[in-house]
């Protein structure tokens, strides 16, 4: 049993470090420039450090899958605050194109997506189709000459909809077919008159999501990915990930470190809050939960690397981290006391976290839907469609 | 990254699990639990485990042992916890560790070969009063020990007792001047005694003082491992029952309220495996993290185990509340694990101190 990556990876880490040092920060010092970011990512692809699972023909670096190398690259990029070439929506559409796209679609869309020249938004959820996604109603009709689709309806919870240039969406194309069978997967340029993007203001006051309205919007017939009426299957593609779960776990760790710092900074009864036995004990209890997540993630990664079954833990990290984030933000609340209501005060970050931790229980599958998945896949409980089980 | 069990470790767990399937099914555990009079361990099972070499795992090779690590004992403890095995592994392993880390060459060569085969039974006497588990709370002193130690595993049967004292660790042999009284402990699978020493002659382990905290950490790791095994078994038992039990014309596993309860139990239990593994590994290989990890594992796992046994009763309904059902065996083991070596609350505060908060 050992926790480190093993010395055989030391050379690789040195190489990655040297590469980053030579290429980032950019010569002109402009960290925000898209051109600089693109140049860095392209150089990373040349070296085999980025877009590793994408074939060279479509702009990737086509490397053999290696969870540890991928993790080392991620760690070094994070340390240097260098771009990793990942844009959330883009990471979702590329695997779909690779599996279901025509050769022409792959050639046309993948490379510019990897470069970040196109930014994709996901158009799945609708006001009446949340967890029950297949209830979606946005419809697309093929024109009589068969040249284009005319789209009408509304999407919601579109992440960064106002930044996106294109959307991959699920639409109803076969109105007479049974629920799941009537859905198709379409690509749409959303910078067109028939599309209105309206940002949604979250309870934090921030605007990360949008509503997107289609009013006779158009997209060429060849923007259909996969067959008509097969969109539900199309969305089930995922890349052969090199993801280890370590990245998301690191996020919980850094939130916890901030909490410890807060507990040391804030005074209570004439001494740092961290000296208060109740706060101290709850802090240690949270740490116990965090350590469980941390080392079970290392265990899971090790099992992946060695081709062993991870077991029931596989489905658990998301809900576990959601609970953890809630528990962390509640202890922060107890520490800051009256500052908890002051949106203009020095503890705003923690007020926001108190709210943002809730978004984790919704985004990407609500915690209750996650629990259904854990019940079925990890505990082997019988499937139950009436209760929103995974199709 | 190799944070996983080796082929040899998997084989070890397999062979212990197979033995338990033969010799430690629930009927047998109930039989031992329900034996009239003072609680007793299962001598037949213990001797089979000794034959298999379980007590020799942590004994150094030069003292006729296998020279393996605490993590190897811990994965066996997990398997024993799963089966609620009525055997004295905890006290015996801790006595063995104490002598091999802190004993003189003479003490080692006298005791370790006997402990490795199980010819001699060892135990440890730590706690004074209701909560004096930690070395800085031990008040008995000198080479003539006087005082009382509580919750001592199988002191009546033990051939050698390692006693925590203000001077470090002392060794007391069977036949010396002490008396034992079996506690009417909830957990009848692992009997404990109150031991009264009265000018009892003892010998010190030369490196006892500096080993005491590390020894307590080993106790925490083994309790955490046992707790994981027990909690995981309770989750599995509850899941199986939900699939089989029918009400309103269907298996109750179909009811979302119960499903979410089962998920909550599994979510509390499964990820904690990594924590107990880490605590065992840190004890073996990362000295500066070892105490903190041990306290965290002890606090987290024993807390979860006790809660999961409560949830298991709920998941089973009335049958889970009966003496004939297995659940109470596990709940009572969880109760001992919770208290023994210090409560979760005390260990969390210790972890906070060790973290430098």
């Amino acid at each position: 049993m050992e926790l480190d990556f093993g010395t055989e990876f030391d050379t690789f880490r040195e190489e990655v470090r040297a590469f980053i040092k030579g290429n980032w920060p950019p010569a002109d010092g402009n960290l925000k420039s898209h051109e600089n970011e693109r140049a860095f990512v392209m150089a990373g692809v040349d070296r085999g450090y980025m877009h590793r699972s994408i074939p060279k023909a479509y702009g990737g670096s086509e490397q053999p899958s290696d969870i540890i190398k991928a993790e080392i690259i991620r760690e070094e990029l994070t340390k240097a605050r260098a771009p990793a070439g990942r844009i959330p929506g883009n990471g979702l559409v590329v695997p779909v194109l690779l599996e279901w796209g025509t050769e022409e679609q792959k050639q046309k869309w993948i490379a510019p997506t990897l470069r970040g020249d196109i930014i994709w938004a996901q158009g799945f959820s609708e006001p009446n189709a949340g967890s029950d996604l297949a209830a979606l109603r946005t419809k697309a009709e093929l024109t009589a000459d068969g040249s284009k689709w005319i789209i009408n309806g509304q999407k919601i919870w579109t992440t960064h909809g106002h930044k996106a240039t294109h959307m991959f969406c699920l639409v109803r194309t076969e109105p007479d077919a049974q629920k799941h069978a009537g859905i198709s997967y379409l690509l749409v340029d959303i910078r067109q008159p028939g599309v209105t993007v309206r940002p949604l203001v979250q309870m934090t006051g921030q605007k990360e999501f949008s509503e997107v309205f289609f009013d006779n919007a158009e997209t060429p017939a060849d923007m259909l990915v996969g067959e008509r009426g097969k969109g539900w299957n199309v969305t089930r593609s995922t890349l052969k990930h090199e993801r280890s779960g370590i990245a998301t776990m690191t996020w919980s760790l850094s939130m916890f470190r901030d909490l410890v710092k807060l507990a040391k900074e804030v005074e209570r009864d004439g001494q740092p809050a961290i000296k208060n036995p109740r706060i101290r004990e709850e802090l240690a209890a949270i740490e116990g939960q965090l350590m469980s997540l941390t080392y079970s993630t290392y265990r899971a990664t090790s099992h992946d690397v060695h081709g062993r079954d991870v077991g029931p833990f596989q489905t658990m990290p998301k809900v576990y981290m959601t609970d953890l984030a809630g528990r962390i933000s509640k202890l922060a609340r107890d520490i800051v006391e009256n500052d908890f209501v002051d949106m203009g005060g020095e503890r705003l970050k923690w007020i926001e976290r108190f709210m943002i931790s809730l978004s984790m229980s919704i985004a990407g599958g609500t915690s209750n839907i996650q629990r259904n998945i854990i019940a079925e896949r990890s505990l082997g409980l019988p499937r139950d469609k009436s209760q929103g089980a995974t199709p | 990254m190799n944070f996983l069990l080796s082929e040899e470790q998997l084989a070890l767990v397999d062979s212990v699990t197979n033995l338990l399937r033969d010799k430690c099914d629930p009927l047998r555990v109930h039989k031992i639990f329900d034996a009239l009079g003072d609680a007793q361990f299962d001598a037949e099972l213990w001797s089979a485990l000794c034959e298999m070499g379980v007590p020799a795992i942590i004994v150094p090779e030069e003292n006729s042992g296998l020279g393996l690590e605490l993590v190897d004992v811990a994965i066996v403890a997990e398997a024993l916890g799963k089966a609620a095995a009525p055997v004295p592994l905890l006290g015996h392993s801790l006595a063995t560790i104490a002598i091999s880390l802190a004993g003189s060459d003479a003490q080692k060569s006298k005791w370790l070969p006997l402990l490795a085969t199980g010819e001699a039974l060892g135990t440890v006497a730590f706690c004074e009063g209701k909560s004096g588990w930690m070395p800085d709370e031990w008040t008995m002193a000198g080479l003539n020990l006087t005082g009382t130690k509580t919750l001592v595993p199988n002191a009546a049967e033990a051939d050698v007792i390692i006693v925590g004292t203000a001077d470090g660790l002392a060794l007391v042999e069977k036949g010396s001047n002490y008396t034992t009284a079996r506690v009417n402990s909830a957990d009848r699978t692992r009997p404990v005694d109150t031991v009264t020493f009265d000018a009892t002659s003892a010998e010190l382990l030369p490196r006892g003082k500096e080993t005491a905290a590390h020894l307590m950490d080993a106790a925490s790791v083994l309790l955490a491992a046992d707790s994981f095994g027990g909690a995981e078994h309770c989750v599995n038992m509850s899941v199986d029952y939900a699939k089989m039990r029918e009400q309103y014309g269907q298996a109750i596993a179909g009811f979302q309220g119960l499903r979410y309860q089962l998920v909550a139990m599994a979510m509390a239990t499964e990820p904690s495996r990594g924590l107990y593994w880490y605590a065992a590994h840190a004890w073996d290989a990362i000295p500066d993290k070892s105490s903190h990890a041990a306290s965290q594992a002890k606090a987290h796992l024993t807390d979860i185990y006790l809660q999961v046994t409560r949830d298991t009763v709920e998941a089973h309904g009335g049958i889970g509340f009966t003496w004939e059902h297995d659940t109470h065996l596990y709940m009572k083991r969880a109760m001992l694990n919770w208290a023994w070596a210090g409560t979760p609350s005390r260990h969390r505060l210790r972890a906070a101190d060790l973290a430098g908060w």
Side-chain angles (χ1 to χ4, degrees):
Chain A
M1 201 175 259
E2 52 187 36
L3 273 167
D4 52 16
F5 292 125
T7 46
E8 66 267 34
F9 288 99
D10 290 353
T11 326
F12 181 75
R13 189 184 287 276
E14 285 310 314
E15 286 167 17
V16 175
R17 257 184 218 165
F19 162 77
I20 296 173
K21 205 163 177 222
N23 291 275
W24 197 264
D28 64 7
N30 186 350
L31 302 175
K32 302 261 172 206
S33 132
H34 176 56
E35 287 309 312
N36 283 342
E37 230 179 78
R38 176 160 69 175
F40 181 76
V41 171
M42 294 289 76
V45 169
D46 283 345
R47 291 292 299 263
Y49 296 159
M50 291 182 199
H51 302 313
R52 290 163 49 87
S53 56
I54 317 288
K56 287 191 172 141
Y58 310 127
S61 61
E62 201 172 339
Q63 297 293 310
S65 175
D66 189 322
I67 296 169
I68 293 181
K69 283 189 175 173
E71 176 56 26
I72 288 170
I73 295 163
R74 188 194 66 79
E75 283 179 8
E76 294 303 323
L77 289 171
T78 309
K79 238 182 273 172
R81 295 169 191 270
R86 275 193 222 105
I87 301 168
N90 293 15
L92 296 169
V93 72
V94 170
V96 166
L97 288 167
L98 281 173
E99 186 172 346
W100 300 92
T102 60
E103 189 52 36
E104 208 185 341
Q105 286 172 331
K106 291 180 198 175
Q107 293 289 352
K108 183 169 178 186
W109 298 108
I110 296 178
T113 298
L114 297 184
R115 288 197 300 267
D117 295 343
I118 298 176
I119 297 183
W120 293 92
Q122 175 177 276
F124 284 8
S125 297
E126 295 182 8
N128 289 309
S131 295
D132 183 12
L133 182 59
L136 61 90
R137 287 188 220 158
T138 295
K139 65 175 180 187
E141 290 165 300
L142 202 56
T143 52
D145 64 358
S147 67
K148 59 191 176 191
W149 296 95
I150 307 295
I151 309 163
N152 283 286
Q154 181 191 353
K155 293 293 177 182
I156 195 168
W157 307 123
T158 308
T159 311
H160 298 306
H162 51 293
K163 286 189 199 160
T165 57
H166 292 69
M167 176 181 270
F168 55 96
C169 49
L170 291 177
V171 293
R172 193 159 294 285
T173 52
E174 326 298 313
D176 302 326
Q178 176 269 339
K179 198 171 168 185
H180 293 82
I183 295 170
S184 299
Y185 189 102
L186 274 188
L187 309 179
V188 185
D189 180 343
I190 56 171
R191 305 273 169 97
Q192 60 165 302
V195 177
T196 308
V197 178
R198 204 184 78 187
L200 276 169
V201 185
Q202 296 157 222
M203 65 192 297
T204 54
Q206 295 160 330
K207 299 174 188 169
E208 288 175 304
F209 305 100
S210 303
E211 292 177 285
V212 178
F213 298 89
F214 295 99
D215 182 12
N216 289 322
E218 299 180 356
T219 199
D222 62 4
M223 295 285 257
L224 173 75
V225 182
E227 288 174 47
R228 269 182 81 150
K230 294 282 170 66
W232 193 256
N233 287 341
V234 170
T235 58
R236 305 195 65 77
S237 309
T238 43
L239 263 194
K240 281 216 182 311
H241 282 299
E242 287 183 319
R243 273 190 38 208
S244 68
I246 294 179
T248 33
M249 171 200 89
T250 316
W251 179 85
S252 303
L253 268 173
S254 78
M255 189 165 164
F256 179 73
R257 271 190 218 111
D258 284 356
L259 178 67
V260 173
K261 197 164 152 263
L262 179 77
K264 285 179 175 169
E265 270 171 26
V266 174
E267 289 233 330
R268 161 178 304 221
D269 308 328
Q271 57 176 356
I274 201 164
K275 299 293 180 193
N276 174 291
R278 201 198 70 79
I279 287 172
R280 210 170 165 73
E281 195 178 334
E282 173 64 3
L283 203 56
I286 293 172
E287 190 185 42
Q289 215 184 331
L290 185 62
M291 288 172 80
S292 300
L293 174 70
T294 304
Y295 296 106
S296 284
T297 303
Y298 284 128
R299 174 187 167 274
T301 303
S302 303
H303 278 223
D304 278 340
V305 168
H306 291 267
R308 278 195 205 163
D309 181 18
V310 172
F313 181 71
Q314 191 94 55
T315 57
M316 295 180 176
K318 184 177 184 255
V319 186
Y320 202 82
M321 280 194 288
T322 303
D323 290 349
L324 202 48
R327 203 169 172 188
I328 288 173
S329 58
K330 277 187 256 182
L331 184 58
R333 170 201 65 188
D334 295 354
I335 291 169
V336 304
E337 298 187 276
N338 281 0
D339 282 341
F340 182 60
V341 296
D342 184 1
M343 297 288 284
E346 55 175 340
R347 302 301 174 196
L348 173 65
K349 185 177 76 178
W350 285 104
I351 303 174
E352 285 176 350
R353 277 178 169 166
F354 186 81
M355 298 179 198
I356 287 167
S357 62
L358 287 167
S359 75
M360 288 178 69
S361 71
I362 305 163
T366 64
S367 286
N368 278 346
I369 291 292
Q370 296 293 330
R371 289 183 186 104
N372 290 347
I373 293 171
I374 296 167
E376 288 169 21
R377 296 198 199 146
S378 287
L379 304 187
L381 296 181
R383 228 169 87 180
D384 190 339
K385 282 184 191 146
S386 69
Q387 294 176 345
T390 48
Chain B
M1 184 165 279
N2 296 308
F3 196 56
L4 73 181
L5 301 181
S6 66
E7 296 297 333
E8 293 78 11
Q9 287 169 326
L10 291 173
L12 171 66
V13 173
D14 265 357
S15 52
V16 171
T17 304
N18 288 335
L19 177 77
L20 292 169
R21 197 173 298 130
D22 281 353
K23 294 196 179 295
C24 188
D25 59 65
L27 275 178
R28 175 77 182 176
V29 181
H30 279 283
K31 193 174 163 217
I32 299 285
F33 197 97
D34 293 342
L36 294 175
D38 283 348
Q40 302 295 331
F41 67 84
D42 185 340
E44 197 184 317
L45 176 62
W46 178 239
S47 79
L49 286 164
C50 291
E51 220 161 276
M52 189 178 261
V54 166
I57 291 173
I58 195 79
V59 175
E61 282 173 301
E62 63 264 31
N63 301 113
S64 322
L66 297 171
L68 299 174
E69 299 186 298
L70 186 66
V71 68
D72 301 291
V73 186
I75 57 179
V76 171
E78 177 191 329
L80 297 175
K82 209 168 279 181
V87 288
L89 182 82
L90 178 67
H92 187 81
S93 300
L94 293 172
T96 307
I97 291 167
I99 294 170
S100 64
L101 293 183
S104 65
D105 287 344
Q107 288 163 336
K108 287 191 215 177
S109 53
K110 176 175 179 186
W111 288 107
L112 291 178
L114 297 173
L115 293 169
T117 57
E119 279 166 79
L121 183 68
T123 192
V124 285
F126 293 147
C127 189
E128 295 181 16
K130 288 197 189 305
S131 62
W133 286 101
M134 289 296 159
D136 59 2
E137 297 168 293
W138 297 340
T139 61
M140 287 167 57
L143 296 176
N144 285 297
L145 300 175
T146 297
T148 300
K149 289 282 186 181
T150 54
L151 301 191
V152 181
N154 294 106
E157 297 88 346
D159 300 290
V160 57
I161 307 177
I162 301 301
V163 185
T165 76
D167 302 313
L169 300 172
L171 186 154
V172 171
E173 285 189 46
K174 189 174 200 160
S176 307
N177 191 36
Y178 61 85
T179 57
T180 68
R182 190 125 297 178
V183 178
N184 183 11
S185 166
D187 177 15
R188 290 177 60 88
T189 63
R190 290 171 302 172
V192 285
D193 295 313
T194 301
V195 184
T196 307
F197 298 91
D198 182 11
T200 312
S201 60
E203 45 183 291
L204 278 182
L205 304 186
R207 281 174 305 285
K209 193 103 185 154
E210 55 270 38
T211 306
H214 197 42
L215 183 63
M216 291 309 298
D217 291 337
S220 288
V221 169
L222 295 180
L223 289 162
D226 180 274
S227 298
F228 181 79
E232 193 189 29
H233 180 79
C234 287
V235 173
N236 292 339
M237 204 161 67
S238 303
V239 166
D240 290 345
Y241 183 70
K243 289 179 188 167
M244 182 200 83
R245 167 80 173 167
E246 293 191 0
Q247 287 286 274
Y248 303 100
Q250 68 169 97
I252 58 173
F255 297 112
Q256 205 165 36
L258 177 63
R259 289 160 81 87
Y260 286 1
Q261 281 181 313
L262 296 171
V263 167
M265 292 163 70
M267 283 272 298
T269 304
E270 175 58 35
S272 69
R273 186 200 304 264
L275 174 54
Y276 111 65
W277 277 19
Y278 173 68
H281 174 64
W283 195 91
D284 290 322
I286 320 174
D288 59 324
K289 306 277 188 195
S290 172
S291 288
H292 177 262
S295 274
Q296 279 290 8
K298 156 75 190 167
H300 191 70
L301 277 289
T302 62
D303 231 358
I304 282 169
Y305 187 16
L306 192 51
Q307 182 58 45
V308 163
T309 60
R310 291 178 69 87
D311 300 338
T312 300
V313 174
E314 272 199 54
H316 282 78
I319 186 71
F321 195 64
T322 63
W323 191 269
E324 69 184 88
H325 198 261
D326 296 350
T327 307
H328 81 104
L329 308 176
Y330 289 91
M331 185 184 285
K332 289 163 186 176
R333 281 177 74 96
M335 288 160 69
L336 188 73
N337 287 7
W338 183 89
W340 213 85
T343 62
S345 174
R346 287 177 189 276
H347 275 279
R348 290 200 174 103
L349 293 174
R350 178 177 184 247
D353 292 346
L354 290 165
W357 294 345

